[in-house]
Amino acid sequence: MNPDDVRALLLAGLPDCEVAVDYDGHDFNIHVVGEIFQGLRKVQRQQKVLGVLHEQITGGAIHAVNVNASTPDELS
């Protein structure tokens, strides 16, 4: 998979979120910002993001993922 494919999956699975995906040749670095994460702990946020990619992770298309998920308020 390439970063654009991962980004498209995340945009479809996490509506109303801003998504950026970088790939360094080994890890996908995912940055997601959205109100959907309001009130969730860090682990819950990661689970929400990884849940969208579950099929690709378990199928081996994605091997390593780093997730940074935040709300818009946390960035201001």
Side-chain angles (χ1 to χ4, degrees):
M1 294 201 86
N2 67 52
D4 291 334
D5 295 335
V6 174
R7 184 174 185 274
L9 288 169
L10 292 169
L11 287 171
L14 300 170
D16 301 320
C17 288
E18 296 176 31
V19 178
V21 179
D22 298 314
Y23 183 64
D24 65 11
H26 184 265
D27 295 348
F28 283 97
N29 299 299
I30 299 170
H31 302 275
V32 184
V33 179
E35 292 293 337
I36 192 170
F37 301 118
Q38 188 68 40
L40 298 180
R41 295 185 319 260
K42 183 177 180 177
V43 170
Q44 292 171 313
R45 294 174 182 197
Q46 290 175 342
Q47 289 171 335
K48 192 169 281 290
V49 173
L50 294 175
V52 174
L53 302 174
H54 177 76
E55 185 176 314
Q56 289 72 27
I57 293 169
T58 58
I62 296 175
H63 300 284
V65 179
N66 299 311
V67 175
N68 182 337
S70 56
T71 66
D73 291 341
E74 294 169 342
L75 296 180
S76 53

